[in-house]
């Protein structure tokens, strides 16, 4: 009889201990609720759909390239390959380019000049935010203070100075050039930057953005650095 009571008592204690352990774990690691409003969720969804659209566009371009190679004869395959290499070089930013675009001048604010406030190098955070604002528009080509900015570029602080591609950005004033696919795209970017709140961020750092109207002949230099081939090897002819 005593054994049966002890066994039941033991089972009750185990059940209570198990429930206490579950409750403790729930309190210690509460489930994180999504407290974003509907507009924040819609914004994230829009960004994901935009990324999905870009990936589909890249897949279509690659399928088109493969179809081109399959349809060409052996004699013209070399020219097609050269065209592909040229396209990749343009995308990587190693070639000079001229097209419709805008020129933006980063200048000290009039107040800082009037009061003699020292102007330092533009902060890396501010420059990064500006680049992110501009990159809302696809297909653009950018040059920051004479330094070509591509997807492989980096904005860092080196020895206290903001740098692009490892090269120091000049203390303002300096220029930023942006080329868009069409004149219409340049006008849209121009109007967007005129109304952007990024002006307030620059003004807090005693800087102003002077955005010139779009023109048809903005020129940007190619990235001078050459790519090194570390892994690919050319096969001997005939193989």
């Amino acid at each position: 009889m005593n054994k049966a009571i002890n066994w039941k008592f033991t089972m009750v204690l185990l059940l209570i201990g198990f429930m206490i352990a579950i409750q403790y774990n729930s309190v210690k690691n509460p489930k994180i609720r999504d407290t974003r409003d509907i507009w924040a969720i819609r914004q994230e969804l829009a960004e994901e759909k935009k990324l999905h659209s870009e990936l589909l566009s890249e897949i279509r371009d690659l399928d088109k390239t493969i179809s081109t190679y399959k349809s060409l004869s052996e004699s013209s395959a070399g020219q097609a390959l050269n065209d592909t290499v040229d396209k990749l070089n343009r995308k990587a930013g190693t070639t000079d380019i001229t097209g419709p675009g805008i020129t933006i001048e980063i200048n000290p604010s009039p107040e800082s000049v009037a009061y003699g406030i020292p102007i330092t190098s533009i902060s890396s955070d501010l420059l990064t935010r500006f680049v992110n604002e501009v990159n809302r528009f696809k297909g653009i080509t950018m040059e920051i203070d004479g330094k070509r900015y591509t997807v492989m570029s980096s904005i860092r602080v080196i020895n206290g100075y903001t740098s692009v591609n490892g090269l120091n950005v000049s203390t303002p004033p300096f220029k930023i050039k942006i080329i868009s696919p069409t004149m219409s795209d340049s006008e849209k970017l121009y109007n967007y930057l005129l109304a952007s709140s990024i002006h307030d961020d620059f003004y807090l750092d005693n800087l102003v953005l002077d955005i010139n109207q779009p023109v048809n002949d903005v020129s940007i230099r190619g990235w001078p650095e050459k790519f090194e081939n570390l892994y690919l090897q050319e096969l001997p002819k005939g193989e």
Side-chain angles (χ1 to χ4, degrees), residues 19-174:
M19 295 177 65
I20 292 175
I22 293 177
Q23 184 178 8
Y24 174 78
N25 187 64
S26 300
V27 173
K28 185 178 180 180
N29 302 305
K31 185 177 180 180
I32 300 176
R33 296 181 57 189
D34 193 342
T35 58
R36 296 175 298 173
D37 58 22
I38 187 64
W39 292 108
I41 296 175
R42 286 170 63 90
Q43 178 67 24
E44 184 174 349
L45 178 60
E47 293 177 356
E48 292 296 331
K49 291 180 67 175
K50 189 175 183 180
L51 177 60
H52 182 255
S53 177
E54 293 173 0
L55 292 175
L56 289 178
S57 178
E58 291 183 7
I59 292 174
R60 285 194 295 268
D61 290 341
L62 293 175
D63 288 340
K64 184 178 179 180
T65 302
I66 293 174
S67 299
T68 301
Y69 284 146
K70 290 182 178 179
S71 62
L72 292 175
S73 61
E74 184 177 352
S75 59
S76 57
Q79 182 60 41
L81 183 60
N82 289 332
D83 293 341
T84 302
V85 172
D86 292 339
K87 181 180 179 180
L88 292 175
N89 281 328
R90 289 194 300 271
K91 190 174 182 180
T94 59
T95 57
D96 297 344
I97 183 173
T98 300
I102 59 176
T103 300
I104 302 171
E105 298 178 13
I106 311 297
N107 292 311
S109 65
E111 290 80 5
S112 64
V113 175
Y115 288 105
I117 299 175
I119 302 300
T120 59
S121 174
I122 184 173
S123 69
S124 60
D125 291 339
L126 181 58
L127 186 57
T128 299
R129 182 175 177 193
F130 174 81
V131 171
N132 291 338
E133 284 283 300
V134 173
N135 279 335
R136 294 173 182 267
F137 295 79
K138 300 302 177 183
I140 64 170
T141 304
M142 191 183 329
E143 180 184 270
I144 302 174
D145 189 30
K147 303 161 185 62
R148 185 70 171 267
Y149 187 89
T150 68
V151 294
M152 296 176 294
S153 298
S154 61
I155 298 176
R156 298 193 181 106
V157 176
I158 300 178
N159 296 327
Y161 293 92
T162 299
S163 66
V164 175
N165 301 329
L167 301 175
N168 290 347
V169 177
S170 302
T171 301
F174 64 86

